């Protein structure tokens, strides 16, 4: 294993995924964050925006400067959609590895990107090289990747929950249901009425029922696994928690006698960050709070299989998974920086 | 309309449904709570247990005394399962109307009661006379009822959400899915580890996946409506809200072209407490907080119909619905005592 | 008592105090809201912004039109500071009664207004006529008032908590301490980072320690009561609740033997909306949720008296108190529209 | 520095402080938890009670066995009051170091212990040897300690907040005020009505106003520092957060011109776990969530000084501080096991 320190840049580190990258990388044995950029907060210390980082990180936001970023070994983009695809090509040319937490490099088809993100893709030629950063599917490709499109939070919970069934061809792929519940941090740190305390507290609300941007990404990846079309009814709900996401998944079994518990245990036995619960138990999101873990329970009810898949949307659903890909790309221990136990209660 | 005052007794008024009955009946134009009983709290004022009732209710808990209860015109049971069936027969003989908020008079088949509640039913002969207290289905029978089994909270949200589809024979009744999310007050006021603040806050957890007591009640009622077997995959989840419940329902349409919005609007147009939202909107539970309302949205996604049904589990899912039945039984305006607007935020 | 209906206008009804006025006035026996204005939302239905009002209020926001407002008997201003003082003079001239929930008519000294609100007062001549809308102090003046400056939420909790002591000259007025805890709705419905769910949940934070706009209002009123200078150390804290406020007040007793419990019970015996708790009990904010009540407990610890004063900041701290003043101004029962019991849990 | 591994026992590891010890020690470079005892849960795996520990800790609860505990180098007691004093003497005789998180070894005067804990102290002779585990005061004694009484959560926040003032003789020690706000985890994991979600959510409540067990401990320690009597008016409040505590402290300055900011910065400059915020800033509890940090802000308002002191009650207020003492007792780096950044949002 290569043991030198890797200089890291973070573009757009003023949101929750950015601050989470700072938290995780602060204890990473080989990564050192050298550059932290923000157009809006340039000149401010990160620990003024995020007082929890006092004593942990003394970086100051700078204006994003391609030349300075090109000095890094790896650059994370924790930016809104549309930013990474503007800067990535130049960085890649300079040999910088790029891990994009936005949607810019998740979808292979630029037409689908345009439809869901209302903009033309800036570098469609790179889409073929980009590796979708779900290590449980693409681990070997990630080890050699130069450009990673880090999955969204819903796609992570849903795909890890459905993978064993879809890989095994065990269910009717035309009528999968994903009833998802997300904490409010999934909506980011931007000001939005629906993210206000008095709007989101003490209530449950579904949203995006008619169509959510994370759906094409899920269908693209699961269809590739299935070798055919996979169709999902995807209904996200907002619940009053800060971090945490559960996907409750329903599928019709082709063979109602299938031992689904064994299927899942076998599939994920070697995975460092997927935990299949013993039969009869159910996950709760707080049991993964702050940790890069997906806990999964599976239950058969007649001909229907119910899968419960829980993650911390900011960690396994965003920054932690990005660090996991970073580790694979740089030959680090896959667990580096990701070994702090979850925080509960 | 008969305008005399009705003396009311509440047996077991120390839980959340009991205190909710006190809140609602305090402003009821014709009901007057005369008797409030509790084995454990006899001698204490209700407003010591429930300080929000200071100035609203000055009743003192007394030991449950059948003779005193028999002086009432109507008695509500807000007790654990098993209590009402012991006391109801004597009260009914004395001409008292009985509204039971427990499960004792919901199931028609005593064998099913025994299986789910682990006790023999004490008065199976009464089950045929008991009316299931869902006014949207049994309004005319409720007007003449002497004994009402008030529905559970999940059954209310699920049935009101599925009724139009099942009545119309519009969906495949063998593969209905009910993904339900409930606030913690649904678990009652008894001490349970899972209901502790530090266990229930900031987390999502499914429970009862392998089987929940509310399922047989739902299947009994919907099967009666369908005139045939209805099978539901029912997965309840606990989310950190105090009051509120949403059932997200998934069904396969027989005719994918069905105008589901119109179906729901037509079905519920005359209902005082069911609100079908305009197409494209979704309910949130806080919009019914404290009120006897079920708000429903419906959306077609390919061949699947998604229904979102939201109630306050303590009101339309318990005490409010019981008052609604009380109103029907006594010839009161169905809205009596139930006209305070929801409280949000 | 005069029994005709009073036409009411609400200027700026898109915030939490505005929606709360709509909720309370919907059940008021004599008030009828005819006009609801908003520059930003004109043309929209109020129940689209506030779905809890579906079936309760079918008003549509209109542009604020002085001529139309002048047709009302009374106009409430639920606007940011600076709006009411622009419109009030013309309305008062037309004989309209004005109740301002902003700070425009709370402070008697325009210089103090300028210092804290960074703008010149538009109609200083009216300040002498404006009555400070705390009925527990100014009831008789409110009955004849044309213009009312409705107190802020902190000032209500603090003044009601300290009044008996200050009126009696029982404490050292130079070193009063008010440690206040407020729910997030006190910050209003405007987008602010600190009011976001993920910023305000699961944390405690003091703010405005160096100076808060509500302080001069408190000192003005208590000094008037004391007949001399009253100085308060006022430290507000934000806690993760939606509604609710507690002021914990500390004062040094002149006579450590004073029967403070009796002092409070005597002072507030006749008040319909102040509830002095029995000795040894403490209030909790949820026991006043949704209701126009201030619950107060008082305890002597050595030479220090501790007072705990709890209100719902949107009701007794804003819209409810405004309706109480409205009732006094119009010869209604002081409880009209304010009789719904608190909602707990 | 001594580098061998230290075998650790935890008595009573089924509460929140016990699980927190497991979380912190799991990443400790020198401690290895060998023994975990519980009378009630013996035979169960710890990660069944605390699923967040799956993959982190595979220990099984055993019956507390003095002989087995005596094999450990150090034993933590995370038990209710009264347990440690029964077992500690035998362990100390066998050379085991004891760190008690209960109140058994905090108070020097057994009469005071009896008065507040309603039981006779079992080994009063040990009280003189016990070191009060607040490293910021007793660091040198802790390095040689065999028996440590770990401070309570309120005492930690209050003492760290007041120490600089009391040490400097800067304030009137007869009229200190501590208005404290605590999360619900401070009440432990035992079933109590007041700790239920529906009782503690969305409300603020003071408690223990007439006297709280943590008060004598605070007064004992601060009086020792002051060299004379210190009297505190101590009012705790429960707020709906899981972890976190803020003490807002009020004192009368002897010299109103004192530079309090400098006083605090000088006092705590070398402390690894006390963070004095820049002038004008205020702490929030989430900025220390999960971390062994006390953040303090100080502000002068006329002759009154206001101190805001924030900790995570389960870490710096309990398990983390116990590990800090463990580190000092065993010659470890004081930060060992305590270096994970706080978790926010």
């Amino acid at each position: 294993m290569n043991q030198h320190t890797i200089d890291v840049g973070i573009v757009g580190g003023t949101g929750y995924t950015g601050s989470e990258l700072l938290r995780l990388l602060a204890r990473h044995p080989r990564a050192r964050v050298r550059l932290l950029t923000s157009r809006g907060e340039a000149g401010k210390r990160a620990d003024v925006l995020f007082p929890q980082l006092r004593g942990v990180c003394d970086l100051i936001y700078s204006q994003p400067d391609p030349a300075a970023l090109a000095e890094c070994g790896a650059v994370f983009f924790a930016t809104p959609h549309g930013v990474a695809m503007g800067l990535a090509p130049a960085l890649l040319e300079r040999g910088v590895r790029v891990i994009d937490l936005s949607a810019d490099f998740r979808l292979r088809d630029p037409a689908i990107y345009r439809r869901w993100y209302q903009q033309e893709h800036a570098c469609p030629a790179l889409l073929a090289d980009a590796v979708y950063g779900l290590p449980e599917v693409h681990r070997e490709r990630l080890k050699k990747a130069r450009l990673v499109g880090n999955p969204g939070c819903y796609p992570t919970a849903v795909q890890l929950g459905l993978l064993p069934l879809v890989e095994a061809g065990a269910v009717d792929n035309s009528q999968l249901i994903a009833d998802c519940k997300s904490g409010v941090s999934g909506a980011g740190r931007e000001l939005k009425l629906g993210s206000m305390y008095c709007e989101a507290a003490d209530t449950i609300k579904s949203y995006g029922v008619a169509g959510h941007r994370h759906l094409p990404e899920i269908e693209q990846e699961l269809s590739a696994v299935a070798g055919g079309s996979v169709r999902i009814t995807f209904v996200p709900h907002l619940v009053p928690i800060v971090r945490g996401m559960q996907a409750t998944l329903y599928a019709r079994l082709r063979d109602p006698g299938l031992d689904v518990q064994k299927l899942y245990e076998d599939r994920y036995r070697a995975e460092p960050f997927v935990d299949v619960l013993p039969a009869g138990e159910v996950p709760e999101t707080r049991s993964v709070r702050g940790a890069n873990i997906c806990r999964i329970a599976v239950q058969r009810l007649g001909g229907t299989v119910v899968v419960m898949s829980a993650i911390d949307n900011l960690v396994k659903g965003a920054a932690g998974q990005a660090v996991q890909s970073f580790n694979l790309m740089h030959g680090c221990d896959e667990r580096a920086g990701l070994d702090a136990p979850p925080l509960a209660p």
Side-chain angles (χ1 to χ4, degrees), chain A:
Chain A
M1 231 178 242
N2 197 342
Q3 294 307 323
H4 70 273
T5 294
I6 305 141
D7 287 332
V8 165
I10 299 175
V11 180
T14 61
Y16 294 138
T17 53
S19 67
E20 200 66 0
L21 283 171
L22 291 172
R23 179 178 75 87
L24 296 170
L25 294 174
R27 293 293 176 267
H28 195 286
R30 288 188 50 213
R32 186 181 53 152
V33 183
R34 277 188 58 207
L35 207 52
L36 183 64
T37 80
S38 161
R39 291 194 189 280
E41 305 288 354
K44 277 198 197 152
R45 286 176 61 105
D47 64 4
V48 169
L49 268 78
F50 301 108
Q52 70 269 22
L53 296 177
R54 285 177 59 86
V56 175
C57 166
D58 58 4
L59 288 166
I60 294 172
Y61 293 106
S62 58
Q63 289 290 347
D65 169 8
L69 289 166
E71 303 291 315
C72 295
V75 169
F76 292 87
F77 284 87
T79 44
H81 311 304
V83 175
M85 65 187 182
L87 287 164
L91 294 176
L92 291 167
E93 264 175 40
R94 296 281 301 270
V96 181
R97 288 188 179 92
V98 170
I99 301 168
D100 176 24
L101 282 77
S102 85
D104 286 1
F105 296 102
R106 295 174 188 162
L107 295 168
R108 288 191 214 129
D109 180 345
I112 294 181
Y113 183 85
R114 185 193 318 120
R115 189 188 321 146
W116 289 91
Y117 295 93
Q118 280 83 48
Q119 54 189 313
E120 207 62 41
H121 201 284
C123 47
L126 284 178
L127 293 177
D129 298 331
V131 180
Y132 188 74
L134 194 66
E136 291 76 9
V137 178
H138 300 293
R139 180 169 285 112
E140 293 313 311
R141 291 184 62 211
L142 286 167
K143 289 180 183 170
K144 289 170 283 185
R146 312 295 306 177
L147 172 59
V148 169
N150 199 56
C153 47
Y154 285 120
T156 298
V158 171
Q159 288 177 72
L160 293 177
L162 289 175
L163 263 178
L165 294 169
V166 172
E167 285 175 350
V171 292
D172 178 350
N173 289 339
S174 73
Q175 46 172 309
L176 302 172
I177 289 170
D179 187 293
C180 297
K181 298 93 182 162
S182 173
V184 186
S185 65
R189 196 165 165 265
E190 305 91 82
L191 298 180
K192 295 177 201 170
L193 184 63
S195 299
M196 299 273 286
Y197 186 86
C198 293
E199 300 295 310
D202 207 40
T203 196
I204 308 167
K205 186 174 185 170
S206 20
Y207 67 101
V209 181
H212 187 286
R213 286 173 168 182
H214 282 171
L215 181 55
E217 176 186 342
I218 299 171
E219 293 189 341
Q220 162 188 288
E221 291 295 309
L222 288 180
S223 295
V225 165
S229 167
V230 170
R231 286 291 310 278
I232 301 200
T233 300
F234 172 47
V235 180
H237 299 74
L238 194 67
V239 297
I241 66 174
V242 175
R243 292 163 178 255
M245 167 170 288
Q246 177 171 325
T248 311
L249 306 157
Y250 302 86
R252 301 290 296 174
L253 284 169
R254 294 191 191 287
D255 167 13
L258 182 71
D259 185 343
V260 288
Q261 179 71 26
K262 182 172 184 311
L263 179 74
Y264 276 71
E265 289 179 359
D266 289 349
R267 174 60 178 85
Y268 288 128
R269 184 158 291 121
E271 283 300 334
F273 294 116
V274 181
D275 175 30
V276 178
L277 297 179
E281 296 194 10
V282 291
E284 47 184 339
T285 57
R286 65 172 184 156
S287 79
V288 297
R289 188 189 292 133
N292 194 54
I293 302 170
C294 178
R295 297 204 207 273
I296 296 180
V298 60
Q299 181 116 14
R300 218 180 50 206
L301 295 172
T304 298
V305 56
V306 182
V307 185
M308 289 148 278
S309 168
I311 60 171
D312 181 328
N313 53 299
L314 295 181
V315 190
K316 185 62 177 165
Q321 185 144 267
V323 172
Q324 191 179 351
S325 280
F326 170 94
N327 290 340
L328 289 166
M329 294 162 88
H330 292 86
C332 306
D333 180 337
E334 197 167 334
R335 290 177 182 82
L338 300 172
D339 64 341
L343 190 75

